[in-house]
Amino acid sequence: MGTSSYEKDQSSLEEKEEDYKAIFLTSFRYLWPDEIILRIRVITSLICLVFAKIFTVLTPLLLMTLIDELNFLVDEARKANFVIWGVLALALGYGAARFASIAFVQIRDFLFVNVAQNGLKKLSMDAFQHIHRLPLSFHLSRQTGSMNKVIDRGVRGIEFLLRFVLFSIGPLILEFLLVCILMIYKFDATFLFIILATVFAYVIFTIIVTNWRVKIRRKMNLWDADLSQKTIDSLLNYETVKYFSAEDHEKEKYLKSLKSYEFFAIKTGASLSMLNFGQAFIVTLGLLVLIVVATQQVIKGDLTVGGLVGLNAIMLQLILPLNFLGTIYREIRQALVDMGELFILFKEPVEEDEIEKDELTSIRKGFVFDKVSFSYDGLREVIREVSFSIPVGRTTAIVGPSGSGKSTLGKLIFGFYKPSTGKILIDGQENRAFKTKSVRSQLAVTPQDIVLFNDTLEYNITYGAHLVSKDTLNYVIGQADLTHLVSSLPNGLSTQVGERGLKLSGGEKQRVAIARMLLKDCYINIFDEATSSLDTKSEKIIIENLLQKRASKTLIIISHRLSSVSTADNIIVMENGQLTQEGKHDKLIEENGLYKEMWEKQKRYQSRDKQDKF
C-alpha cells in the first residue's frame, strides 16, 4: 500500500521526543502539595491503597478455603455445628474482604480528589503565568488556537498521570508481588511460571505495539491542533472572510485539515483494535494453560477443587488489572506525548530574570537613545544607530513613512524589545538595570492595534485602574471624546463591546484605548498612531485636551499625521530605520527635507478633501 498524501504532508513536520524523566519529575512535584492537610490526604490515600490490595489478594484465598471446607461437608459425619459455623464464617470473611477491597479504593479516591485538583490548579496557573512572561517575539510567531490546545491537552495529560500512575501501576505491582508470595506459599511452582510467562508476554506485546501507536497519536495531535487553529483564526477574521467572499476557501482549508485528522484518527482506532485483540489472545491462552494444568493436578489428587477455583480466581483477578495495565500504559504514553508539547512550551525562554534588578520608582529626566540598533531575530534590521533624547515634561513626536521604525521605537521604550546594539538610558542609567515591570508601570500606552476584551465598555475603559470614582471616569470619558458615544448607547457603559471590540468602530475603539490610557494616570504617555482612525474634529479635541497637560505630562506621539504633532516641542523624523531630521515644526519646514515633503503632501490631500465636500 502506498504512502498516503496525509503522511507525506506530515513528513515535513519535525517530531519532538519527550524527556520522560523530566516530565515525570515535574508532574509529581504537583502531587506533593505545600499544605499540611493535603499532604495528610496523600499519605492516607497511599495507606488505603495498600489495604485495598491486601484484601484483594485475600479474597481468592478465602474463596479457595471456603470451597474446600464445603467439600468436607459433603460427608454427613463431618456436619458438626462448629464446622458449619466455620464455613459460614469463611463465607462472611470472603464477603467482607471483597467489600473492603472496594471500600478502601473508594476512600482512597475520595481523599485524593482534593490533591489532584489542587495540583491541576497549580499547573494551570503556572502555564497561564508562563505564557504572560514570554516575550512579545514569541506571541507574534505563535498560533493562539494551537497553543490553547497544547495547554488543554497537557493539563489533562498530567491529571491522568497523577491519578493512574500512582493508583494503578503502583497497586498493580504490589498486587503482583503479593500474588507471587501466595503462589509460592500455596501452590506448585508450575502455576507461578505460567502466570509470570503470561504477564511477561502481555507486557512486552503491549509496550511494542503502544510505542508504534504513539507515533500515530503524535501526528493526530498535530492535525488536531491545526484544526483548532484554523477554526479560531477563521472565526476571529470573520469580517475579512465576508469581505472577500472567501467562505469556500476557508471551507477547503478546514476540510483538508479535517481529512488529515480523520486519516490518523482511523489509524489510531485500527491500531487500538489490533492491540486489544493481541492482549485478549495472550491472556486467554495463559488462562487456558493454567486451567488445563490445574485440572490434571485435581484428577491426580495433587490439587483440591478449591485450589483450582482459587487459581482461576487469582488469574482472573490479575487479568482485570492486567487488561487495565494495557490501557494505562497506552494512555500514559499518549499523555506523555500531550504533556511533552506543554513542557516544550515551559522551556520557551521567558523575559530575563529580573530578581536582582532595581525598581524604577519614577522618571525624572527622561529617555536617551544612544546609537540604538534593533533587528528581528537578527535577520531584518529595523532600527540603525538611532540617537535622540526624550526629556520629561515635553511633547516629543516621532514621524515618518510607514515601515520607517516609528512603532518599534515605542516598543523599545516600553521594553517589549531590547536593543541589538547601543543603549537606552533612563535618567542616565541603562534600562537593562531596571526591572521591566517597574519601567512599564511608569508608562501609559495607546497601541497602534487596539484589541478590546469581550466585556463591557466600562470594563475596557477602567482596565488599567479598576478602582476609580464615577467623577474621574466621567472626566476621562470627556477627555477622550466618548461622552456622545456613551450617552447614545442603550446600555451606556454596560454595553458589551464584542470579541476584540468588533461592535465598535475603529475610531470608537481608539477613543476607548485613549481613555483607558488616561485612567492609568502615568506621568509619561505614549500614543502610537492613537488618532489614525479618528475624524479631524475628534482628533483635534483629543490632541488639544492632551496638550493642555504638557506641563505636567510627558507625551510621546508616534504618528504619520503631521497636523496632530506640529505643535510638539521636538519632532523626530524617521526613514528606513534611521533618524534623518530632528527639531521643531518651523525649523523642519525650513530644511526642505522629508518632513517638509510629507507636510506639503498632506496639505494637498486636505485641500482636495475640502474641495470634494463642496
Side-chain angles (χ1 to χ4, degrees), residues 589-605:
I589 292 294
E590 292 174 2
E591 290 182 0
N592 294 320
L594 176 63
Y595 183 84
K596 182 179 180 180
E597 180 185 331
M598 293 173 61
W599 176 263
E600 292 178 347
K601 188 180 294 185
Q602 289 185 19
K603 282 183 67 177
R604 286 198 298 271
Y605 287 145

Side-chain angles (χ1 to χ4, degrees), residues 188-208:
D188 190 276
T190 305
F191 298 114
L192 179 59
F193 174 78
I194 294 170
I195 291 176
L196 289 175
T198 303
V199 171
F200 180 77
Y202 183 95
V203 170
I204 294 300
F205 174 79
T206 300
I207 290 175
I208 291 173

Side-chain angles (χ1 to χ4, degrees), residues 302-317:
D302 296 333
L303 185 68
T304 64
V305 174
L308 186 147
V309 173
L311 281 170
N312 184 67
I314 290 171
M315 188 68 168
L316 289 174
Q317 196 163 280

Side-chain angles (χ1 to χ4, degrees), residues 531 538-548 557 564:
T531 59
S538 296
E539 180 187 34
K540 185 177 179 181
I541 292 172
I542 292 173
I543 293 296
E544 286 178 353
N545 290 336
L546 294 172
L547 292 179
Q548 285 174 3
I557 303 175
S564 61

Side-chain angles (χ1 to χ4, degrees), residues 68 119 128 171 295 422 466 515 539:
D68 285 337
F128 184 79
T295 302
H466 301 292
E539 180 187 34

